[in-house]
Amino acid sequence: MNEKQRLESQQVKADNSADKKSEKDYSKYFQSVYIPPSLKDAKKRGKEEVEYHDDFAIPEVFRGMGEGKKFYIRTYGCQMNEHDTEVMAGIFTALGYQPTNTVDDANVILLNTCAIRENAENKVFGELGHLKSLKLEKPDLLLGVCGCMSQEESVVKRILEKHHFVDMIFGTHNIHRLPQILNEAYLSKEMVIEVWSKEGDVIENLPKVRKGKTKAWVNIMYGCDKFCTYCIVPYTRGKERSRRPEDIIQEVRHLAAQGYKEITLLGQNVNAYGKDFTDIEYRFGDLMDEIRKIDIPRIRFTTSHPRDFDDHLIEVLAKGGNLVDHIHLPVQSGSSDTLKIMARKYTREQYLELVRKIKRAIPSASLTTDIIVGYPNETEEHFEETMSLYREVGFDAAYTYIYSPREGTPAAKMQDNVPMEVKKERLQRLNALVNETCALKMKEYGGQVVEVLVEGESKKNSEVLAGYTTKNKLVNFKGPKSAIGQIVKVKITGTKTWSLNGDMVEEAAAIEVE
Ligand code: SAH
Ligand code: SF4
Ligand code: F3S
């Protein structure tokens, strides 16, 4: 499409948007592709079996679509989104596009968005505001919004009403349709919207351009069926569906052969892995037991829900080896009352019992967690229970959040009766405890020798290298550049709240761990 056509199409969009406000019926403007999201439909969980597709291919007609063009993807949110970005980068590359790391020389810009809290969404709307001027300067630029926010009706409506310069909106289930969506956006005068609300499929063999050469993400399952009352994810990511074990194992083997040193298995709730299989009895513990035999130094997973963390998994994790001794186990609250309202389906005591079991089986295990403060009905006593649970478990670190109501979730209908000042004050108190505990734990590392997977130069000082221990502690240390991408031994000489400083141990220089 040339510049003139593009400008004309902008005009049509602008005209349409004026009508849209009054009519609130967008469908007639979208003859080409208009599949809007629906949170209500997203909640319906079908009984139909998961369909596996392993025949993804770029249609012949789209090959070369990206010749001479560049793409830029900005990613918000969790590892799942980071990994989706790698898949989209793979599709762009297969279409002939080149990557760029600035918006200024991009021909296509995608915002891969996160809907987990209001401030995550605000960042995206702020960015759209910035991109508007770029889009006005360069009408040929294609601008797309994808990721979890696209799955929300309210977001799609807001973009239609206030950001009609956006060319395409597509959902988390539509990533594999990127070639068709781009094609439609080039041809269409209207905003292209394709957001499937309910999806039970698993698409294999999608191309990927991974961000690093040392660490890689591998999806083991998609979606979430837990429906914690505050959470938007079950609506934005669809129902739980597991990849077949043979596909996962093949991918991990392939990454090992390519020289990757660390794999993180991804799922919103990895412990529910395999629950949806109708033909085999195969769960997360079984998968880990097979993956640990693959020749790759470190295997992590995220995130585990306490509820499905079964004894077999603990038994397998206790075998150690390449299964790292760090478990992220979100607790959300230390109060059984609050946990009940959150529909987490475990009590404080059950969580503590699980922690005891894990520590008994894996004495070196470090635990980290996620906590929400200021939930509806959370009293001072409830909050104190969170503080005391934090101390009792002795977490290494935590991600802490103020509760953010998400439209369409059950909690959004509850009365949010904790004043914002109280929420903020609780968050501060909790963070002070988190920092203090973390600093104390870090002190224990003083003088020790730890194994570090070296990622590269430190962000702050190019003279210093940075990497992570098995327990995911950041270590900055002096060592040769040849150590990058290797696992090396580092003697800790100084400790801070969130990181460690050290020197590479000379005699153990660049140990290659097979
Ligand atoms: N599947 C993961 C969580 C993914 S979301 C799990 O269940 O462990 C990451 C974290 O964001 C959650 O653990 C929770 O602490 C936080 N979170 C989710 N929804 C939120 C909301 N509405 N307000 C504040 N924090 C929220
Ligand atoms: Fe959200 Fe709960 Fe599912 Fe985690 S387990 S993604 S918090 S609904
Ligand atoms: Fe955000 Fe979606 Fe991940 S809401 S946290 S990007 S699953």
Side-chain angles (χ1 to χ4, degrees):
M1 186 179 292
N2 64 30
E3 191 155 323
K4 185 163 168 285
Q5 286 168 319
R6 198 76 217 158
L7 281 169
E8 279 168 8
S9 85
Q10 290 302 299
Q11 191 55 45
V12 173
K13 283 179 199 175
D15 293 349
N16 285 349
S17 73
D19 301 354
K20 274 176 221 143
K21 280 196 190 105
S22 51
E23 289 188 29
K24 297 272 177 208
D25 171 15
Y26 309 116
S27 55
K28 69 178 187 186
Y29 300 111
F30 302 93
Q31 288 89 9
S32 42
V33 179
Y34 180 67
I35 306 180
S38 154
L39 287 180
K40 226 159 141 200
D41 287 351
K43 189 165 196 268
K44 292 182 196 142
R45 290 295 192 260
K47 292 241 181 323
E48 66 270 21
E49 269 192 32
V50 175
E51 276 181 35
Y52 292 85
H53 302 269
D54 58 4
D55 52 355
F56 176 86
I58 303 278
E60 200 54 50
V61 286
F62 299 146
R63 283 182 195 278
M65 177 198 271
E67 274 328 305
K69 297 194 184 105
K70 291 183 178 167
F71 73 95
Y72 174 91
I73 311 177
R74 181 160 296 173
T75 315
Y76 302 81
C78 65
Q79 293 96 331
M80 214 76 60
N81 254 18
E82 297 272 358
H83 190 44
D84 284 350
T85 289
E86 294 183 331
V87 171
M88 291 191 287
I91 298 178
F92 272 120
T93 306
L95 289 168
Y97 290 86
Q98 296 286 321
T100 169
N101 43 25
T102 82
V103 289
D104 297 317
D105 63 353
N107 304 91
V108 184
I109 299 175
L110 291 185
L111 302 184
N112 190 8
T113 63
C114 170
I116 202 81
R117 282 169 292 275
E118 194 186 354
N119 60 1
E121 299 206 350
N122 288 345
K123 278 189 215 157
V124 171
F125 283 116
E127 186 58 26
L128 278 178
H130 294 144
L131 290 172
K132 183 177 182 178
S133 49
L134 194 66
K135 176 76 196 175
L136 291 176
E137 267 170 46
K138 288 169 65 177
D140 277 341
L141 171 71
L142 277 192
L143 181 58
V145 175
C146 57
C148 287
M149 278 170 70
S150 320
Q151 298 290 143
E152 297 177 281
E153 292 147 85
S154 57
V155 167
V156 172
K157 281 188 182 164
R158 183 164 161 188
I159 294 176
L160 277 163
E161 288 177 0
K162 301 218 173 87
H163 305 276
H164 31 83
F165 52 91
V166 168
D167 299 282
M168 42 191 178
I169 306 178
F170 59 97
T172 56
H173 307 303
N174 305 73
I175 286 174
H176 62 290
R177 303 234 333 132
L178 183 57
Q180 287 80 358
I181 293 165
L182 283 168
N183 181 57
E184 198 65 43
Y186 282 122
L187 299 176
S188 170
K189 293 185 172 181
E190 318 295 357
M191 197 186 293
V192 176
I193 303 175
E194 190 182 285
V195 185
W196 295 342
S197 290
K198 219 168 87 183
E199 176 60 51
D201 294 355
V202 171
I203 319 276
E204 288 297 342
N205 81 333
L206 289 166
K208 296 173 192 103
V209 172
R210 296 186 189 269
K211 212 166 146 197
K213 295 199 163 24
T214 313
K215 305 207 286 194
W217 287 301
V218 172
N219 274 126
I220 65 163
M221 60 183 300
Y222 304 96
C224 180
D225 285 346
K226 284 282 182 280
F227 289 101
C228 302
T229 48
Y230 49 84
C231 188
I232 193 78
V233 173
Y235 309 86
T236 63
R237 291 275 169 178
K239 72 171 181 179
E240 278 174 4
R241 51 215 191 274
S242 306
R243 286 180 71 198
R244 303 295 299 185
E246 56 277 16
D247 290 328
I248 298 169
I249 289 161
Q250 192 192 29
E251 186 174 347
V252 177
R253 285 219 175 98
H254 187 61
L255 290 164
Q258 287 177 284
Y260 281 90
K261 298 284 192 287
E262 180 176 307
I263 301 294
T264 303
L265 304 173
L266 289 182
Q268 282 303 338
N269 170 16
V270 289
N271 309 66
Y273 177 78
K275 270 184 159 183
D276 54 320
F277 292 147
T278 50
D279 58 335
I280 46 171
E281 223 7 87
Y282 192 94
R283 301 296 303 274
F284 188 50
D286 301 307
L287 181 70
M288 290 300 269
D289 210 16
E290 283 196 59
I291 289 186
R292 76 185 175 84
K293 294 174 196 145
I294 300 176
D295 207 359
I296 203 148
R298 291 183 179 181
I299 308 286
R300 300 183 186 280
F301 57 91
T302 197
T303 299
S304 30
H305 191 293
R307 190 145 173 256
D308 298 317
F309 213 112
D310 60 32
D311 291 349
H312 181 227
L313 176 61
I314 298 178
E315 210 178 285
V316 171
L317 293 179
K319 294 181 185 174
N322 57 3
L323 306 182
V324 303
D325 48 0
H326 168 221
I327 299 169
H328 187 64
L329 194 63
V331 66
Q332 313 299 357
S333 167
S335 147
S336 296
D337 290 346
T338 307
L339 289 169
K340 189 154 196 214
I341 311 176
M342 289 176 162
R344 291 289 288 183
K345 303 209 169 72
Y346 54 83
T347 61
R348 173 192 175 93
E349 289 67 35
Q350 285 167 333
Y351 185 91
L352 287 171
E353 180 50 30
L354 175 60
V355 168
R356 277 191 287 273
K357 265 201 225 165
I358 293 173
K359 287 189 174 171
R360 230 178 285 135
I362 317 161
S364 71
S366 83
L367 294 172
T368 53
T369 199
D370 292 350
I371 294 172
I372 298 176
V373 301
Y375 208 61
N377 282 350
E378 187 191 67
T379 62
E380 178 59 25
E381 290 70 40
H382 294 143
F383 174 68
E384 274 302 335
E385 287 187 90
T386 297
M387 297 283 278
S388 73
L389 178 128
Y390 197 89
R391 290 190 200 98
E392 191 167 338
V393 174
F395 288 109
D396 271 35
Y399 295 106
T400 57
Y401 310 101
I402 286 180
Y403 163 63
S404 171
R406 310 311 297 133
E407 197 185 317
T409 62
K413 294 187 198 86
M414 297 175 195
Q415 196 200 345
D416 191 359
N417 51 4
V418 183
M420 189 44 90
E421 311 85 76
V422 175
K423 292 178 200 266
K424 283 188 180 158
E425 189 259 341
R426 284 183 191 160
L427 184 70
Q428 260 175 14
R429 276 156 65 199
L430 177 60
N431 284 346
L433 175 63
V434 169
N435 291 351
E436 187 192 318
T437 322
C438 191
L440 279 175
K441 296 236 167 203
M442 289 303 221
K443 280 224 162 68
E444 292 169 15
Y445 284 94
Q448 281 189 28
V449 173
V450 291
E451 285 194 353
V452 176
L453 172 53
V454 189
E455 295 200 357
E457 292 169 359
S458 142
K459 282 192 193 115
K460 290 186 195 139
N461 179 355
S462 62
E463 299 292 295
V464 171
L465 298 178
Y468 289 86
T469 67
T470 53
K471 292 188 164 72
N472 227 10
K473 306 286 180 218
L474 172 63
V475 184
N476 292 303
F477 66 99
K478 290 191 206 88
K481 299 268 190 282
S482 59
I484 294 173
Q486 308 298 326
I487 295 179
V488 300
K489 292 203 171 173
V490 174
K491 180 156 186 170
I492 302 304
T493 53
T495 70
K496 296 181 174 175
T497 305
W498 296 110
S499 64
L500 303 167
N501 289 338
D503 293 317
M504 199 165 114
V505 181
E506 293 304 331
E507 59 271 27
I511 331 155
E512 220 7 291
V513 176
E514 273 304 297

